[in-house]
Amino acid sequence: MMKIKYVFAALFFVSSALVFAQETETKKEPGHTNQSKFRQLYQEFATPNTYRSASGTPGPDYYQQQADYKMDITLDDRNARIYGEETITYYNNSPDDLEYLWVQLDQNVRAKDSKSPLRNGGGVPLAYRTGSFTGEYMTEPFDGGFNIEYVRDASGKPIPYTINQTMMRVNIAEPLKSGSSISFSIKWWYNIPDHTVNRARSGFEYFPKDGNRAYVIAQFFPRMAVYSDVEGWQNHQFWGSGEFALPFGNYDVNITVPADHVLDATGVLQNRKEVFSKEMMKRYEQAKKSYDKPVIIVTQEEAEAAEKGFSEKTKTWKFRAENVRDYGFATSRKFIWDMQAVKIGGKDVMAVSLYPKEGNPLWEEYSTKAVASTLKTYSSHTFDYPYHKAISVHAKNQGMEYPMICWNYGRPNEDGTYSDRVKYGMISVIIHEVGHNFFPMIVNSDERQWGWMDEGLDTFMQYLAEQEFGETFPEAISPDEKYPSRRGDPSKIVPYMAGDQSTISPIMSNPENVYQLGPNAYAKPATALNILRETVMGRELFDHAFKTYAQRWKFKHPTPEDFFRTMEDASAVDLDWFWRSWFYTTDYVDIGVKGVKKYYVSDKPTAEMREYMAANNITEDQLPPLVYLAEEDSEDFDPELKGKSPTEISQPLKAFMMDNMTEQERAQVQEPKYFYQVTFDKPGGIPMPLIVEYTYADGTTEQVTYPPEIWRKNDDEVSRVISSQKELVGIVVDPKAETADIDTTNNSWPKKDQPSEFDQFKENIKGK
C-alpha cells in the first residue's frame, strides 16, 4: 500500500504545481466579482422572513386579505349595457392599519380618455390588416369604462373616492385597523364592448344573421386590489397585457337577463329549478351520472328556436361561490349546453360546455372531452380540483379564464368542416384556459407583475395535458402521431432564443414591458420547465417538487422566489444556475464539440512535462514512476505505440498492477487501447447538462450525460478524457434535441455539413 500512496502523492504534487503556476500567471489580470453562473441567488432573492420562509413555504406570520361580494347585476340585451350594485366586505388580516382602500376598474382601459392606446410608440408599418386600419383611423373610440354612480358606507353615507385611470382609491373615514373589516357599496354601469374588435377580454359577439348576441362577461365589477407582505397595495395600472392580482373571497351574485337566455357562471347555481325547464332538469340529472360522454342539456334545435325570439321578460339566476378570486359569466339565447361528470379524487365534478350552433359539430364532439381530460391531468400533477364544475364557453377569437369558467376560440367553416389546425387549436386553448383554474385561480400568483407565473406554468401543464389527451382520445389525432403541441418541445423555442437580442426580454420582466409576450411569458418558461423535468432533474424529482409547490400555495399568493425555493427544497437539486440563466437573462443554449485529440500510453515524459521539469529544476530520478499520454502525430508520439495495451508499453503501470493487485483483480482489469481528449465548448451563455453520444468503430453507441456543474469552473469550454477498448469514430452533443440548442452545426464530430435548426426554420418561412 505504501507504493500506491507514493504514486498518488507524487501525482498530486505535480498537478498542484502546474495549477499553481497557471494561477500565478493570471494574478496579473484585474480582479472581478463572482460572475459564475453557479453562484447562489442571494443577491437576487429577498431575505426570508416570518411571512415567507427560505424553504419556499408560507411563514408562520403569512397572511392574506379577504374580499366578499354581494352583487345584483342586470344585463340590458337591447342596448348591450350592464348595470350593477355591489356590497364589498373587506377583511384586513394584515398587521398594518390601512388608511385607504384600492379598487380596480379594469373596464376603464376602454374609456374614451384611456391612456392605454397612447402608451406605445411606432411609425408607419409595411402594411395594415384592413380591420386594424379601420379600427385605428376610421372609427370613433368606443365609449367604454365604468360610470360610478356612488360609493357608500354601511350606513348609506357617501364615501369620497379618487379615480386614477384603472384604479380607484376609496378614502375611508378612519384607518381600517389590523384584524378588522369594513363594508361599503358601489353602484355602476357601463357599455359592453364588442369583444371581436381589438380582442377585448370580455364583451359580446353580434350575429347579424339572427340578430342575437352571445355574451362572455368578466372584469364587469369594481374589484378589490391585493394588499400583501410583498409590496403593500398592488395598484399597478391595468394597461392591457398585465392581468389581474386579486384576493380570495365569497360571492353571492344575482344576474338578471332576458328570460329566453341560457346562462352559466362562477359558483353553485342556487335556484336551478326556477330557471331550468323540467326537461332540462331531467337531462341534468342524467349528466350527473354520465362519466363517459356528455349529456345535452339544451339541444341545437332548441337553441335555434330560441334565436328567433327576443323575450321582453327577464329571469334572475342566483349563484353562490366560495373561496374564489374572481367572477365571470356567459349568457345568450343562442347557447347549446352540455355536461358530463368527471371523477376527481373521490368526488364528482361537472365538465360543462356552452356554444352556439356556429361552433358545431366541432364543439359538441371535443369541448367537454377536453375539459374532463384537463381536470384529470392537472389534478394528478398538482391537487384535486376543488370546485364543483369547469365551464368552456365558445367565443370567437377568445382565450380568457376565470374561476370555473373560461372562453375559447375554434370555429368551423359555415358548412361545418374544419381543418386539423382549427381542431387542435380549439382543444389546446380549452386545455390552457381550463388549466388556468389551477394557475392562477387557485395558486394565486400576481399576474399584474409576473405574467409567466400563471401563463408559463399553465403552458407547461398544458403540454403535459395535450400529450395525455392524445393518449386518452387517440381517435382525435392522426394515426401514429403524437398530439401536435405548439409549445413545450425544446426545439419550438429555438427561433425566439436565437433572435434579435434587442427585442428579447428576460422572463423575469413585467408583462407590459416585454417585446414578445407569447414567447416570453408562455413558451420560454414552459419549455424551461419541460427541460427541467425531462433533462435536468428527471420526472420523479421534478413531479414531487412541482406538486409540493402547488399544494403549499393553493389558495395563497406565491412569488417567483417561493416557486424557485420550493423546487430546490423538495428535490435537493441546486437550481440557482438554471433560474439565473433561463429566467433572469436572455442567454441561449449553444454547446458543441470543439475538438478531438487522440492519445497513446507512454512511459516517457512528454515535451510539456520535460519543459515543466526544466523550469522547476526537477530531474527524472526525483519523480516516482509515472504514466504519460502522448498525442498522436506529436513529437512525443512513437508509431510503435499504436494498438498496444497500456501494460505492454508502460513499465511503471505494469509494475504497479503486479505489485498492488491480486491475480483476480488483475484478471478483471479492462485495458483500454484508445485514449481521446474531447473538448466541448459553449458559445451560448446557458450551462446545461452535457448530453453526449459516442459512436465506436464496431457500430455500438454509448450515451453519457455530464451534469451541468461540469461548466462551473470554465464557462467557455471543458475537456474530458475518454478511454476505450474500441476506436471512437463519432460524437454528437444533444442527440435528441433536449436542450433548445440554437446552433446544431457544431454539435458533431466529425463535423457534419448541415444547416442548424434555426437556419432550417428561416429557410422554411421564406416567402410565407
Side-chain angles (χ1 to χ4, degrees), residues 171-185:
N171 301 309
I172 52 181
E174 299 289 339
L176 180 61
K177 298 293 185 181
S178 173
S180 63
S181 64
I182 187 173
S183 292
F184 62 100
S185 300

Side-chain angles (χ1 to χ4, degrees), residues 19-273:
V19 170
F20 177 76
Q22 293 170 347
E23 288 180 345
T24 302
E25 293 177 359
T26 61
K27 284 183 178 178
K28 298 175 183 177
E29 299 295 326
H32 61 276
T33 59
N34 187 354
Q35 298 298 309
S36 170
K37 294 288 198 306
F38 292 87
R39 69 190 186 278
Q40 297 297 289
L41 282 166
Y42 293 128
Q43 289 177 298
E44 289 82 356
F45 282 4
T47 302
N49 52 48
T50 58
Y51 302 117
R52 296 168 192 271
S53 72
S55 65
T57 62
D61 294 328
Y62 173 82
Y63 70 88
Q64 60 190 38
Q65 312 290 64
Q66 180 173 330
D68 294 344
Y69 298 81
K70 291 186 177 181
M71 291 191 282
D72 290 297
I73 307 298
T74 300
L75 173 72
D76 179 352
D77 189 18
R78 287 204 179 274
N79 297 301
R81 184 173 291 173
I82 276 185
Y83 297 88
E85 296 180 60
E86 69 181 352
T87 297
I88 303 174
T89 302
Y90 185 72
Y91 300 85
N92 182 14
N93 299 319
S94 80
D96 308 320
D97 296 343
L98 304 179
E99 301 171 72
Y100 39 74
L101 309 177
W102 281 102
V103 175
Q104 302 183 57
L105 302 177
D106 302 305
Q107 287 295 329
N108 283 3
V109 78
R110 294 194 165 272
K112 278 189 173 182
D113 61 352
S114 171
K115 299 294 184 183
S116 183
L118 306 178
R119 67 194 170 118
N120 294 324
V124 175
L126 291 174
Y128 289 93
R129 290 184 179 272
T130 53
S132 299
F133 183 82
T134 303
E136 183 74 22
Y137 301 113
M138 301 176 67
T139 58
E140 280 290 315
F142 177 70
D143 187 13
F146 284 108
N147 296 276
I148 304 296
E149 295 193 7
Y150 65 68
V151 180
R152 294 175 179 169
D153 65 16
S155 63
K157 294 180 181 179
I159 302 177
Y161 58 89
T162 302
I163 295 177
N164 176 14
Q165 297 186 69
T166 62
M167 287 287 169
M168 179 170 72
R169 188 181 66 235
V170 179
N171 301 309
I172 52 181
E174 299 289 339
L176 180 61
K177 298 293 185 181
S178 173
S180 63
S181 64
I182 187 173
S183 292
F184 62 100
S185 300
I186 305 175
K187 185 177 182 180
W188 76 93
W189 65 272
Y190 71 86
N191 294 315
I192 304 172
D194 181 341
H195 72 69
T196 67
V197 177
N198 297 326
R199 295 198 68 177
R201 294 170 184 269
S202 71
F204 67 80
E205 177 184 0
Y206 179 69
F207 294 83
K209 286 188 176 181
D210 53 55
N212 287 291
R213 296 185 180 96
Y215 295 89
V216 286
I217 302 297
Q219 291 93 248
F220 65 92
F221 60 102
R223 304 180 295 175
M224 289 302 304
V226 166
Y227 186 87
S228 73
D229 63 285
V230 179
E231 54 183 300
W233 285 108
Q234 170 49 289
N235 54 8
H236 190 80
Q237 294 289 338
F238 176 49
W239 293 100
S241 294
E243 292 184 319
F244 315 110
L246 300 159
F248 287 103
N250 302 320
Y251 288 71
D252 288 289
V253 184
N254 302 323
I255 309 171
T256 300
V257 297
D260 52 359
H261 270 216
V262 168
L263 184 150
D264 210 345
T266 303
V268 179
L269 181 59
Q270 302 294 294
N271 61 336
R272 190 178 302 275
K273 290 184 178 180

Side-chain angles (χ1 to χ4, degrees), residues 584-611:
Y584 286 86
T585 78
T586 61
D587 283 344
Y588 49 82
V589 179
D590 184 10
I591 299 173
V593 185
K594 183 177 182 180
V596 179
K597 295 180 179 179
K598 194 173 185 179
Y599 290 82
Y600 289 92
V601 172
S602 172
D603 53 7
K604 299 181 180 63
T606 61
E608 186 178 8
M609 183 61 176
R610 293 194 300 272
E611 182 180 341

